[in-house]
Amino acid sequence: MGGISGNLINFIFTSSSKLPLGATKESVLKTLPSLGYFTEHQWTFPRSQDLRMIDQVLQLNNYTIELAIDELGMICEDFILVCYWAGKKFPCFAKHAFLGWIGSTSHYGACCSFNYHPNVRGSKEPFVANTYGMHGGLSVIGTGYPQASDGKSGALYSEGFMVGYDRRLIIPVQGANVISLSNKLMIHHPHDFAVEASPLTLIRLRKETFVNVLPTDSRCSEQVLALPQNQRDCIVGSDFNPPIANYRQPACTLQCLRNEVHRKCGCHPFHLPQPTDRGPGQRVRNCTVYDSMCFVENYYMFKRLKCNCLPSCSDVTYKTASIVSDFSAYNFSINPFYKETNLSDFEFIFHIFMSNQVVAANRRIVVVSWISLLSNLGGAFSLCLGISVLSLFEVLFFTAFRLRKMYYQRKQRKEQQIKLVAPFARLQRF
């Protein structure tokens, strides 16, 4: 996260840097924001000559797009200052299986993630806890000062966080970027790449934001799971061949978008995770800066892309509710958390928690089976018509039998009449 003030610029302005023919250091610096056209931070149409020039600069100096963006922006260590989990302070970037921030990406660009495990396979459960309430979740003090002071922060990055949760508790997962004076915070499952459908909360500088996570647990009964897929309108792992352990709708959406980008542009953009189910010979080349022209030209087509990704039959989804206040709690609270900050104009505080031990639960069941339908119809006929279903079938049988008998009797009478009339007709001819 951050502005254009990193080591790459320092390198460009050294005597050992290599520039393409006709390019100046000032023109390169002016066009560096072209690196952001794969994300949603650029709203002007790119010029092809600028993209080619940045491509040449990166190639001549052995920089990839990912490395260049890392050099241009703030690293997470500069962005995140103090971290508390369940009321206890912990090192924000300790090498811990769960309690630690890492660098990542999303459709907003470079991010910082907490308890984010996108490559986990099988039935391994993510980190869960039974704490709740404001002091039972994640509390973070961050700063936007470096990018707010360089005058170019909005070129590639924004200010903010994304956070995710998993069942029964708060589990912040995915970090975020920062835009102007607000931060993006997203809640999602620890195994999911943060997609646009993830709940989004804006965290503002000079404010303390309280984010309440509201999970909903959705399940299906055994009768629903026994139905064909087109009738139950959801997916289970056994629907695939071979079966998979954990189906995730966001993973399906990501794969759909990634395949469409590969098909349309012929390359893989830096901000999307690489597919793990392809062999070395099937990997798509990494996109260059010039390939972002294809991404911009097809931007709205990618946004309107319709993917046949049904929800999981067993899943937990999240909504958020937030409250924003000024830096005033330190006047009334004895919590040592507020002693960790000087409450400057460029700092921000956010708390992420679940306010209740219980969550909303949705259960899909089969309301009426064929047996229940016949039972209900029989009861309705008995109540409204005074007959049972068996009596109704007897009436229908009698009616059909009687009509058939009357038809044959009428047919026989007509045949007898024809036999009687025929002799009189021959006598009349003579």
mmCIF file of all heavy atoms in Angstrom, residues 221-264:
data_model
loop_
_atom_site.group_PDB
_atom_site.id
_atom_site.type_symbol
_atom_site.label_atom_id
_atom_site.label_comp_id
_atom_site.label_asym_id
_atom_site.label_seq_id
_atom_site.Cartn_x
_atom_site.Cartn_y
_atom_site.Cartn_z
ATOM 1 N N SER A 221 -31.242 -30.148 4.246
ATOM 2 C CA SER A 221 -31.621 -31.430 4.837
ATOM 3 C C SER A 221 -31.186 -32.571 3.930
ATOM 4 O O SER A 221 -30.832 -32.372 2.764
ATOM 5 C CB SER A 221 -33.131 -31.476 5.058
ATOM 6 O OG SER A 221 -33.813 -31.456 3.811
ATOM 7 N N GLU A 222 -31.225 -33.791 4.463
ATOM 8 C CA GLU A 222 -30.844 -34.957 3.677
ATOM 9 C C GLU A 222 -31.769 -35.157 2.482
ATOM 10 O O GLU A 222 -31.338 -35.618 1.429
ATOM 11 C CB GLU A 222 -30.867 -36.211 4.568
ATOM 12 C CG GLU A 222 -29.822 -36.202 5.681
ATOM 13 C CD GLU A 222 -28.411 -36.210 5.141
ATOM 14 O OE1 GLU A 222 -28.204 -36.750 4.030
ATOM 15 O OE2 GLU A 222 -27.512 -35.669 5.813
ATOM 16 N N GLN A 223 -33.057 -34.810 2.638
ATOM 17 C CA GLN A 223 -33.997 -34.942 1.525
ATOM 18 C C GLN A 223 -33.632 -33.996 0.378
ATOM 19 O O GLN A 223 -33.739 -34.349 -0.797
ATOM 20 C CB GLN A 223 -35.424 -34.656 2.003
ATOM 21 C CG GLN A 223 -36.004 -35.683 2.946
ATOM 22 C CD GLN A 223 -35.530 -35.493 4.371
ATOM 23 O OE1 GLN A 223 -34.823 -34.532 4.676
ATOM 24 N NE2 GLN A 223 -35.927 -36.416 5.249
ATOM 25 N N VAL A 224 -33.180 -32.773 0.724
ATOM 26 C CA VAL A 224 -32.775 -31.826 -0.322
ATOM 27 C C VAL A 224 -31.507 -32.303 -1.008
ATOM 28 O O VAL A 224 -31.381 -32.243 -2.237
ATOM 29 C CB VAL A 224 -32.569 -30.428 0.286
ATOM 30 C CG1 VAL A 224 -31.987 -29.466 -0.747
ATOM 31 C CG2 VAL A 224 -33.880 -29.883 0.825
ATOM 32 N N LEU A 225 -30.540 -32.803 -0.230
ATOM 33 C CA LEU A 225 -29.288 -33.278 -0.812
ATOM 34 C C LEU A 225 -29.502 -34.484 -1.722
ATOM 35 O O LEU A 225 -28.698 -34.726 -2.631
ATOM 36 C CB LEU A 225 -28.302 -33.641 0.304
ATOM 37 C CG LEU A 225 -27.823 -32.480 1.191
ATOM 38 C CD1 LEU A 225 -26.906 -32.988 2.288
ATOM 39 C CD2 LEU A 225 -27.113 -31.419 0.364
ATOM 40 N N ALA A 226 -30.569 -35.229 -1.497
ATOM 41 C CA ALA A 226 -30.859 -36.387 -2.342
ATOM 42 C C ALA A 226 -31.463 -36.000 -3.682
ATOM 43 O O ALA A 226 -31.521 -36.832 -4.591
ATOM 44 C CB ALA A 226 -31.797 -37.346 -1.603
ATOM 45 N N LEU A 227 -31.908 -34.765 -3.823
ATOM 46 C CA LEU A 227 -32.499 -34.312 -5.074
ATOM 47 C C LEU A 227 -31.423 -34.091 -6.130
ATOM 48 O O LEU A 227 -30.257 -33.859 -5.806
ATOM 49 C CB LEU A 227 -33.259 -33.002 -4.853
ATOM 50 C CG LEU A 227 -34.481 -33.052 -3.939
ATOM 51 C CD1 LEU A 227 -35.020 -31.642 -3.706
ATOM 52 C CD2 LEU A 227 -35.568 -33.938 -4.536
ATOM 53 N N PRO A 228 -31.796 -34.136 -7.421
ATOM 54 C CA PRO A 228 -30.826 -33.794 -8.477
ATOM 55 C C PRO A 228 -30.362 -32.341 -8.330
ATOM 56 O O PRO A 228 -31.051 -31.503 -7.750
ATOM 57 C CB PRO A 228 -31.623 -34.004 -9.766
ATOM 58 C CG PRO A 228 -32.759 -34.896 -9.390
ATOM 59 C CD PRO A 228 -33.080 -34.583 -7.964
ATOM 60 N N GLN A 229 -29.211 -32.037 -8.890
ATOM 61 C CA GLN A 229 -28.622 -30.705 -8.742
ATOM 62 C C GLN A 229 -29.524 -29.604 -9.293
ATOM 63 O O GLN A 229 -29.632 -28.523 -8.701
ATOM 64 C CB GLN A 229 -27.262 -30.667 -9.452
ATOM 65 C CG GLN A 229 -26.577 -29.304 -9.420
ATOM 66 C CD GLN A 229 -25.302 -29.287 -10.228
ATOM 67 O OE1 GLN A 229 -24.582 -30.278 -10.291
ATOM 68 N NE2 GLN A 229 -25.009 -28.164 -10.853
ATOM 69 N N ASN A 230 -30.187 -29.856 -10.422
ATOM 70 C CA ASN A 230 -31.019 -28.817 -11.014
ATOM 71 C C ASN A 230 -32.272 -28.531 -10.199
ATOM 72 O O ASN A 230 -32.923 -27.506 -10.394
ATOM 73 C CB ASN A 230 -31.421 -29.210 -12.440
ATOM 74 C CG ASN A 230 -32.179 -30.530 -12.484
ATOM 75 O OD1 ASN A 230 -32.226 -31.271 -11.506
ATOM 76 N ND2 ASN A 230 -32.790 -30.825 -13.621
ATOM 77 N N GLN A 231 -32.622 -29.414 -9.259
ATOM 78 C CA GLN A 231 -33.784 -29.178 -8.411
ATOM 79 C C GLN A 231 -33.417 -28.544 -7.074
ATOM 80 O O GLN A 231 -34.140 -27.693 -6.572
ATOM 81 C CB GLN A 231 -34.529 -30.499 -8.167
ATOM 82 C CG GLN A 231 -35.142 -31.105 -9.419
ATOM 83 C CD GLN A 231 -35.945 -32.360 -9.108
ATOM 84 O OE1 GLN A 231 -36.346 -32.591 -7.971
ATOM 85 N NE2 GLN A 231 -36.175 -33.178 -10.133
ATOM 86 N N ARG A 232 -32.274 -28.923 -6.506
ATOM 87 C CA ARG A 232 -31.905 -28.336 -5.213
ATOM 88 C C ARG A 232 -31.226 -26.984 -5.380
ATOM 89 O O ARG A 232 -31.094 -26.217 -4.427
ATOM 90 C CB ARG A 232 -31.026 -29.284 -4.425
ATOM 91 C CG ARG A 232 -29.788 -29.768 -5.090
ATOM 92 C CD ARG A 232 -29.019 -30.686 -4.129
ATOM 93 N NE ARG A 232 -28.354 -31.782 -4.809
ATOM 94 C CZ ARG A 232 -27.149 -31.712 -5.341
ATOM 95 N NH1 ARG A 232 -26.483 -30.588 -5.271
ATOM 96 N NH2 ARG A 232 -26.615 -32.753 -5.943
ATOM 97 N N ASP A 233 -30.688 -26.675 -6.568
ATOM 98 C CA ASP A 233 -30.135 -25.348 -6.859
ATOM 99 C C ASP A 233 -28.960 -25.002 -5.944
ATOM 100 O O ASP A 233 -28.802 -23.857 -5.520
ATOM 101 C CB ASP A 233 -31.225 -24.286 -6.738
ATOM 102 C CG ASP A 233 -30.885 -23.019 -7.529
ATOM 103 O OD1 ASP A 233 -30.155 -23.138 -8.520
ATOM 104 O OD2 ASP A 233 -31.347 -21.933 -7.146
ATOM 105 N N CYS A 234 -28.138 -25.963 -5.639
ATOM 106 C CA CYS A 234 -26.911 -25.732 -4.877
ATOM 107 C C CYS A 234 -25.950 -26.870 -5.188
ATOM 108 O O CYS A 234 -26.319 -27.868 -5.816
ATOM 109 C CB CYS A 234 -27.184 -25.606 -3.377
ATOM 110 S SG CYS A 234 -27.823 -27.103 -2.586
ATOM 111 N N ILE A 235 -24.697 -26.725 -4.744
ATOM 112 C CA ILE A 235 -23.635 -27.659 -5.117
ATOM 113 C C ILE A 235 -23.075 -28.346 -3.876
ATOM 114 O O ILE A 235 -22.907 -27.721 -2.823
ATOM 115 C CB ILE A 235 -22.495 -26.912 -5.845
ATOM 116 C CG1 ILE A 235 -22.994 -26.354 -7.187
ATOM 117 C CG2 ILE A 235 -21.297 -27.819 -6.086
ATOM 118 C CD1 ILE A 235 -23.241 -27.399 -8.239
ATOM 119 N N VAL A 236 -22.779 -29.638 -4.016
ATOM 120 C CA VAL A 236 -22.020 -30.380 -3.001
ATOM 121 C C VAL A 236 -20.795 -30.970 -3.690
ATOM 122 O O VAL A 236 -20.731 -31.063 -4.921
ATOM 123 C CB VAL A 236 -22.875 -31.496 -2.364
ATOM 124 C CG1 VAL A 236 -24.009 -30.910 -1.553
ATOM 125 C CG2 VAL A 236 -23.406 -32.450 -3.423
ATOM 126 N N GLY A 237 -19.814 -31.373 -2.885
ATOM 127 C CA GLY A 237 -18.570 -31.864 -3.453
ATOM 128 C C GLY A 237 -18.739 -33.104 -4.306
ATOM 129 O O GLY A 237 -17.990 -33.325 -5.268
ATOM 130 N N SER A 238 -19.750 -33.929 -4.015
ATOM 131 C CA SER A 238 -19.966 -35.161 -4.773
ATOM 132 C C SER A 238 -20.530 -34.904 -6.164
ATOM 133 O O SER A 238 -20.604 -35.830 -6.974
ATOM 134 C CB SER A 238 -20.902 -36.094 -3.996
ATOM 135 O OG SER A 238 -22.156 -35.461 -3.755
ATOM 136 N N ASP A 239 -20.918 -33.669 -6.471
ATOM 137 C CA ASP A 239 -21.409 -33.359 -7.817
ATOM 138 C C ASP A 239 -20.279 -33.344 -8.836
ATOM 139 O O ASP A 239 -20.545 -33.341 -10.048
ATOM 140 C CB ASP A 239 -22.107 -31.993 -7.820
ATOM 141 C CG ASP A 239 -23.431 -32.024 -7.066
ATOM 142 O OD1 ASP A 239 -24.041 -33.107 -7.001
ATOM 143 O OD2 ASP A 239 -23.839 -30.984 -6.528
ATOM 144 N N PHE A 240 -19.029 -33.293 -8.384
ATOM 145 C CA PHE A 240 -17.893 -33.232 -9.289
ATOM 146 C C PHE A 240 -17.302 -34.622 -9.482
ATOM 147 O O PHE A 240 -17.464 -35.509 -8.653
ATOM 148 C CB PHE A 240 -16.817 -32.289 -8.730
ATOM 149 C CG PHE A 240 -17.268 -30.871 -8.577
ATOM 150 C CD1 PHE A 240 -17.868 -30.443 -7.400
ATOM 151 C CD2 PHE A 240 -17.104 -29.963 -9.607
ATOM 152 C CE1 PHE A 240 -18.290 -29.142 -7.252
ATOM 153 C CE2 PHE A 240 -17.520 -28.658 -9.462
ATOM 154 C CZ PHE A 240 -18.118 -28.239 -8.285
ATOM 155 N N ASN A 241 -16.626 -34.789 -10.586
ATOM 156 C CA ASN A 241 -15.959 -36.046 -10.887
ATOM 157 C C ASN A 241 -14.494 -35.771 -11.241
ATOM 158 O O ASN A 241 -14.213 -35.200 -12.285
ATOM 159 C CB ASN A 241 -16.651 -36.747 -12.057
ATOM 160 C CG ASN A 241 -16.128 -38.152 -12.270
ATOM 161 O OD1 ASN A 241 -15.515 -38.737 -11.382
ATOM 162 N ND2 ASN A 241 -16.350 -38.687 -13.474
ATOM 163 N N PRO A 242 -13.550 -36.107 -10.357
ATOM 164 C CA PRO A 242 -13.755 -36.769 -9.060
ATOM 165 C C PRO A 242 -14.319 -35.803 -8.026
ATOM 166 O O PRO A 242 -14.207 -34.584 -8.188
ATOM 167 C CB PRO A 242 -12.329 -37.201 -8.692
ATOM 168 C CG PRO A 242 -11.448 -36.201 -9.359
ATOM 169 C CD PRO A 242 -12.131 -35.867 -10.648
ATOM 170 N N PRO A 243 -14.916 -36.322 -6.948
ATOM 171 C CA PRO A 243 -15.491 -35.438 -5.914
ATOM 172 C C PRO A 243 -14.406 -34.571 -5.268
ATOM 173 O O PRO A 243 -13.241 -34.949 -5.190
ATOM 174 C CB PRO A 243 -16.090 -36.433 -4.906
ATOM 175 C CG PRO A 243 -16.262 -37.706 -5.669
ATOM 176 C CD PRO A 243 -15.147 -37.743 -6.660
ATOM 177 N N ILE A 244 -14.807 -33.397 -4.805
ATOM 178 C CA ILE A 244 -13.892 -32.496 -4.112
ATOM 179 C C ILE A 244 -14.350 -32.352 -2.664
ATOM 180 O O ILE A 244 -15.524 -32.544 -2.350
ATOM 181 C CB ILE A 244 -13.821 -31.115 -4.789
ATOM 182 C CG1 ILE A 244 -15.192 -30.431 -4.777
ATOM 183 C CG2 ILE A 244 -13.289 -31.243 -6.207
ATOM 184 C CD1 ILE A 244 -15.164 -29.027 -5.348
ATOM 185 N N ALA A 245 -13.407 -32.014 -1.791
ATOM 186 C CA ALA A 245 -13.706 -31.967 -0.353
ATOM 187 C C ALA A 245 -14.544 -30.749 0.002
ATOM 188 O O ALA A 245 -15.551 -30.856 0.696
ATOM 189 C CB ALA A 245 -12.402 -31.974 0.444
ATOM 190 N N ASN A 246 -14.138 -29.563 -0.471
ATOM 191 C CA ASN A 246 -14.832 -28.328 -0.088
ATOM 192 C C ASN A 246 -15.082 -27.478 -1.328
ATOM 193 O O ASN A 246 -14.128 -26.955 -1.920
ATOM 194 C CB ASN A 246 -14.000 -27.517 0.922
ATOM 195 C CG ASN A 246 -13.902 -28.209 2.262
ATOM 196 O OD1 ASN A 246 -14.912 -28.643 2.814
ATOM 197 N ND2 ASN A 246 -12.690 -28.335 2.787
ATOM 198 N N TYR A 247 -16.339 -27.396 -1.733
ATOM 199 C CA TYR A 247 -16.695 -26.516 -2.844
ATOM 200 C C TYR A 247 -16.973 -25.123 -2.310
ATOM 201 O O TYR A 247 -17.682 -24.963 -1.313
ATOM 202 C CB TYR A 247 -17.922 -27.052 -3.583
ATOM 203 C CG TYR A 247 -18.532 -26.039 -4.533
ATOM 204 C CD1 TYR A 247 -17.971 -25.796 -5.782
ATOM 205 C CD2 TYR A 247 -19.660 -25.305 -4.162
ATOM 206 C CE1 TYR A 247 -18.525 -24.865 -6.644
ATOM 207 C CE2 TYR A 247 -20.222 -24.377 -5.017
ATOM 208 C CZ TYR A 247 -19.650 -24.153 -6.255
ATOM 209 O OH TYR A 247 -20.189 -23.221 -7.111
ATOM 210 N N ARG A 248 -16.405 -24.089 -2.961
ATOM 211 C CA ARG A 248 -16.616 -22.703 -2.563
ATOM 212 C C ARG A 248 -17.096 -21.919 -3.779
ATOM 213 O O ARG A 248 -16.472 -21.945 -4.844
ATOM 214 C CB ARG A 248 -15.326 -22.076 -2.038
ATOM 215 C CG ARG A 248 -14.651 -22.804 -0.892
ATOM 216 C CD ARG A 248 -15.387 -22.632 0.392
ATOM 217 N NE ARG A 248 -15.649 -21.230 0.672
ATOM 218 C CZ ARG A 248 -16.593 -20.804 1.498
ATOM 219 N NH1 ARG A 248 -17.378 -21.675 2.109
ATOM 220 N NH2 ARG A 248 -16.768 -19.526 1.707
ATOM 221 N N GLN A 249 -18.222 -21.239 -3.655
ATOM 222 C CA GLN A 249 -18.741 -20.439 -4.768
ATOM 223 C C GLN A 249 -17.768 -19.344 -5.195
ATOM 224 O O GLN A 249 -17.576 -19.123 -6.394
ATOM 225 C CB GLN A 249 -20.098 -19.838 -4.394
ATOM 226 C CG GLN A 249 -20.764 -19.123 -5.554
ATOM 227 C CD GLN A 249 -22.114 -18.521 -5.158
ATOM 228 O OE1 GLN A 249 -22.359 -18.228 -3.994
ATOM 229 N NE2 GLN A 249 -22.987 -18.340 -6.130
ATOM 230 N N PRO A 250 -17.119 -18.584 -4.266
ATOM 231 C CA PRO A 250 -16.142 -17.586 -4.723
ATOM 232 C C PRO A 250 -14.997 -18.187 -5.523
ATOM 233 O O PRO A 250 -14.487 -17.549 -6.444
ATOM 234 C CB PRO A 250 -15.645 -16.961 -3.408
ATOM 235 C CG PRO A 250 -16.755 -17.174 -2.443
ATOM 236 C CD PRO A 250 -17.346 -18.493 -2.806
ATOM 237 N N ALA A 251 -14.575 -19.414 -5.185
ATOM 238 C CA ALA A 251 -13.516 -20.061 -5.955
ATOM 239 C C ALA A 251 -13.984 -20.358 -7.379
ATOM 240 O O ALA A 251 -13.219 -20.217 -8.345
ATOM 241 C CB ALA A 251 -13.076 -21.345 -5.264
ATOM 242 N N CYS A 252 -15.239 -20.741 -7.528
ATOM 243 C CA CYS A 252 -15.809 -20.984 -8.853
ATOM 244 C C CYS A 252 -15.880 -19.686 -9.655
ATOM 245 O O CYS A 252 -15.547 -19.644 -10.839
ATOM 246 C CB CYS A 252 -17.191 -21.613 -8.708
ATOM 247 S SG CYS A 252 -18.093 -21.838 -10.260
ATOM 248 N N THR A 253 -16.298 -18.600 -8.999
ATOM 249 C CA THR A 253 -16.367 -17.294 -9.671
ATOM 250 C C THR A 253 -14.988 -16.833 -10.108
ATOM 251 O O THR A 253 -14.816 -16.301 -11.211
ATOM 252 C CB THR A 253 -16.998 -16.261 -8.725
ATOM 253 O OG1 THR A 253 -18.283 -16.720 -8.298
ATOM 254 C CG2 THR A 253 -17.152 -14.924 -9.415
ATOM 255 N N LEU A 254 -13.999 -17.028 -9.228
ATOM 256 C CA LEU A 254 -12.631 -16.647 -9.571
ATOM 257 C C LEU A 254 -12.133 -17.435 -10.774
ATOM 258 O O LEU A 254 -11.523 -16.864 -11.699
ATOM 259 C CB LEU A 254 -11.722 -16.884 -8.366
ATOM 260 C CG LEU A 254 -10.213 -16.738 -8.613
ATOM 261 C CD1 LEU A 254 -9.872 -15.313 -9.014
ATOM 262 C CD2 LEU A 254 -9.428 -17.160 -7.388
ATOM 263 N N GLN A 255 -12.379 -18.733 -10.798
ATOM 264 C CA GLN A 255 -11.931 -19.556 -11.914
ATOM 265 C C GLN A 255 -12.612 -19.144 -13.213
ATOM 266 O O GLN A 255 -11.978 -19.108 -14.272
ATOM 267 C CB GLN A 255 -12.198 -21.030 -11.623
ATOM 268 C CG GLN A 255 -11.709 -21.973 -12.721
ATOM 269 C CD GLN A 255 -11.949 -23.431 -12.380
ATOM 270 O OE1 GLN A 255 -12.486 -23.744 -11.323
ATOM 271 N NE2 GLN A 255 -11.552 -24.326 -13.258
ATOM 272 N N CYS A 256 -13.890 -18.807 -13.131
ATOM 273 C CA CYS A 256 -14.626 -18.368 -14.317
ATOM 274 C C CYS A 256 -14.022 -17.082 -14.878
ATOM 275 O O CYS A 256 -13.785 -16.962 -16.085
ATOM 276 C CB CYS A 256 -16.094 -18.175 -13.948
ATOM 277 S SG CYS A 256 -17.117 -17.469 -15.249
ATOM 278 N N LEU A 257 -13.768 -16.104 -14.000
ATOM 279 C CA LEU A 257 -13.173 -14.840 -14.440
ATOM 280 C C LEU A 257 -11.768 -15.063 -14.983
ATOM 281 O O LEU A 257 -11.393 -14.507 -16.032
ATOM 282 C CB LEU A 257 -13.140 -13.856 -13.271
ATOM 283 C CG LEU A 257 -12.402 -12.533 -13.511
ATOM 284 C CD1 LEU A 257 -13.051 -11.741 -14.626
ATOM 285 C CD2 LEU A 257 -12.340 -11.706 -12.227
ATOM 286 N N ARG A 258 -10.989 -15.866 -14.299
ATOM 287 C CA ARG A 258 -9.606 -16.112 -14.721
ATOM 288 C C ARG A 258 -9.563 -16.771 -16.095
ATOM 289 O O ARG A 258 -8.756 -16.374 -16.963
ATOM 290 C CB ARG A 258 -8.929 -16.991 -13.678
ATOM 291 C CG ARG A 258 -7.458 -17.252 -13.926
ATOM 292 C CD ARG A 258 -6.850 -17.886 -12.691
ATOM 293 N NE ARG A 258 -7.629 -19.034 -12.236
ATOM 294 C CZ ARG A 258 -7.572 -19.517 -10.999
ATOM 295 N NH1 ARG A 258 -6.788 -18.960 -10.102
ATOM 296 N NH2 ARG A 258 -8.294 -20.582 -10.660
ATOM 297 N N ASN A 259 -10.429 -17.747 -16.331
ATOM 298 C CA ASN A 259 -10.456 -18.409 -17.635
ATOM 299 C C ASN A 259 -10.849 -17.441 -18.744
ATOM 300 O O ASN A 259 -10.329 -17.519 -19.863
ATOM 301 C CB ASN A 259 -11.424 -19.591 -17.604
ATOM 302 C CG ASN A 259 -10.932 -20.722 -16.721
ATOM 303 O OD1 ASN A 259 -9.749 -20.808 -16.405
ATOM 304 N ND2 ASN A 259 -11.841 -21.592 -16.304
ATOM 305 N N GLU A 260 -11.778 -16.528 -18.434
ATOM 306 C CA GLU A 260 -12.206 -15.565 -19.450
ATOM 307 C C GLU A 260 -11.082 -14.577 -19.766
ATOM 308 O O GLU A 260 -10.892 -14.205 -20.931
ATOM 309 C CB GLU A 260 -13.450 -14.818 -18.959
ATOM 310 C CG GLU A 260 -14.071 -13.889 -19.996
ATOM 311 C CD GLU A 260 -14.590 -14.623 -21.215
ATOM 312 O OE1 GLU A 260 -14.807 -15.853 -21.118
ATOM 313 O OE2 GLU A 260 -14.788 -13.984 -22.268
ATOM 314 N N VAL A 261 -10.343 -14.141 -18.745
ATOM 315 C CA VAL A 261 -9.195 -13.249 -18.987
ATOM 316 C C VAL A 261 -8.136 -13.969 -19.810
ATOM 317 O O VAL A 261 -7.566 -13.400 -20.749
ATOM 318 C CB VAL A 261 -8.609 -12.752 -17.646
ATOM 319 C CG1 VAL A 261 -7.328 -11.969 -17.887
ATOM 320 C CG2 VAL A 261 -9.609 -11.871 -16.918
ATOM 321 N N HIS A 262 -7.872 -15.233 -19.484
ATOM 322 C CA HIS A 262 -6.899 -16.011 -20.257
ATOM 323 C C HIS A 262 -7.348 -16.147 -21.707
ATOM 324 O O HIS A 262 -6.528 -16.038 -22.630
ATOM 325 C CB HIS A 262 -6.721 -17.394 -19.638
ATOM 326 C CG HIS A 262 -6.038 -17.370 -18.302
ATOM 327 N ND1 HIS A 262 -5.853 -18.510 -17.538
ATOM 328 C CD2 HIS A 262 -5.502 -16.349 -17.593
ATOM 329 C CE1 HIS A 262 -5.231 -18.181 -16.417
ATOM 330 N NE2 HIS A 262 -5.018 -16.876 -16.427
ATOM 331 N N ARG A 263 -8.635 -16.398 -21.920
ATOM 332 C CA ARG A 263 -9.138 -16.582 -23.282
ATOM 333 C C ARG A 263 -9.103 -15.286 -24.079
ATOM 334 O O ARG A 263 -8.735 -15.275 -25.255
ATOM 335 C CB ARG A 263 -10.582 -17.116 -23.221
ATOM 336 C CG ARG A 263 -11.181 -17.454 -24.575
ATOM 337 C CD ARG A 263 -12.661 -17.754 -24.460
ATOM 338 N NE ARG A 263 -13.415 -16.561 -24.116
ATOM 339 C CZ ARG A 263 -13.820 -15.656 -25.000
ATOM 340 N NH1 ARG A 263 -13.523 -15.794 -26.293
ATOM 341 N NH2 ARG A 263 -14.517 -14.610 -24.616
ATOM 342 N N LYS A 264 -9.452 -14.190 -23.419
ATOM 343 C CA LYS A 264 -9.569 -12.918 -24.130
ATOM 344 C C LYS A 264 -8.216 -12.255 -24.340
ATOM 345 O O LYS A 264 -7.957 -11.693 -25.416
ATOM 346 C CB LYS A 264 -10.486 -11.976 -23.332
ATOM 347 C CG LYS A 264 -11.084 -10.847 -24.141
ATOM 348 C CD LYS A 264 -12.139 -11.353 -25.091
ATOM 349 C CE LYS A 264 -12.796 -10.224 -25.860
ATOM 350 N NZ LYS A 264 -13.788 -10.723 -26.823
#
